[in-house]
Amino acid sequence: MALTQLQDTDAINKDADLLTQEVEKLRLSFEQYFLGLEKHEPVKQRQAVVNLIRKYSGANIKNPRAKFKLQQAIARYNTYTTYWDRVLREIEDGTYNRDIFKAKLHEKERGAAPLQASAPATAGKPESVSKKPDPYDQLFRTYVENRKKCGETIQGLTLESFRKTIAGQIENIKKKTNAQGVKFQVTTENGKTKLKATPVAKK
């Protein structure tokens, strides 16, 4: 693929920023899937990231800064994808433990363990002994972590206030849409942390 200088300085930098953001969103989506907060693996979201990476496969990028930026984003994805694939294999084999994943995730949030060393967890598998994680607690931790990554303040944020806010949103959405339930996802838009609410239709 032949790239012009304009593409080097503008398009590649833009795509590198987009790729960095999308990889982070994908990481959070997989995290919620592994915790059981999302029912489906983010296959389409992952494919979109792969397609963006393939766009520059074998490309001759002239601008060193743009090239480095893109390579960093790709390297981050490669690190995550090795971990994700391992967890997915354990889910398929039935050896995945959600509570172990939850404990390791809490360690990582405290700076005690990197993502690569995190142990996997169970999604969609019955738990015979372990107590099911509190979905509000996990969503809150993911929300706080993402705000930290975006450089946003977390002062005054508490699980109790977060729980009340979410409960209020669920009630309002159910009234407006007659939905059976509401799914939440932590996203990043323009460098700001957002909670995306999706109504779940009645069967």
Side-chain angles (χ1 to χ4, degrees), residues 8-19 52 56 69:
D8 279 340
T9 55
D10 292 335
I12 298 177
N13 273 313
K14 185 176 180 180
D15 279 347
D17 288 337
L18 176 62
L19 180 59
L52 185 55
Y56 290 98
K69 205 172 183 181

Side-chain angles (χ1 to χ4, degrees), residues 33-34 41 81-101 104 116-126:
Y33 173 62
F34 294 152
E41 177 188 344
T81 199
T82 300
Y83 168 73
W84 296 333
D85 288 343
R86 188 181 78 235
V87 176
L88 290 171
R89 284 195 301 270
E90 294 189 359
I91 292 175
E92 187 175 347
D93 294 341
T95 59
Y96 179 70
N97 190 298
R98 186 185 298 157
D99 279 352
I100 292 178
F101 176 82
K104 291 294 183 181
Q116 298 94 310
S118 296
T122 348
K125 301 286 182 182

Side-chain angles (χ1 to χ4, degrees), residues 18 35 64 71 103 123 162 192 200:
L18 176 62
L35 287 168
Q71 287 176 336
F162 183 80
K192 300 292 183 182
V200 178

Side-chain angles (χ1 to χ4, degrees), residues 100-118:
I100 292 178
F101 176 82
K102 178 182 176 183
K104 291 294 183 181
L105 179 61
H106 291 177
E107 289 179 9
K108 179 175 72 70
E109 289 171 350
R110 293 193 298 266
L115 176 65
Q116 298 94 310
S118 296

Side-chain angles (χ1 to χ4, degrees), residues 150-173:
C150 293
E152 299 175 88
T153 180
I154 59 171
Q155 186 175 0
L157 279 176
T158 65
L159 176 59
E160 188 60 32
S161 62
F162 183 80
R163 190 191 301 271
K164 289 180 180 179
T165 299
I166 293 296
Q169 290 183 17
I170 291 175
E171 185 178 351
N172 289 335
I173 292 173

Side-chain angles (χ1 to χ4, degrees), residues 168-181:
Q169 290 183 17
I170 291 175
E171 185 178 351
N172 289 335
I173 292 173
K174 281 185 175 181
K175 286 181 179 179
K176 291 179 180 179
T177 64
N178 196 31
Q180 182 179 18

Side-chain angles (χ1 to χ4, degrees), residues 36-50:
L37 297 176
E38 291 292 339
K39 294 183 179 180
H40 303 291
E41 177 188 344
V43 176
K44 291 183 179 179
Q45 194 176 348
R46 185 175 186 176
Q47 187 58 50
V49 171
V50 171

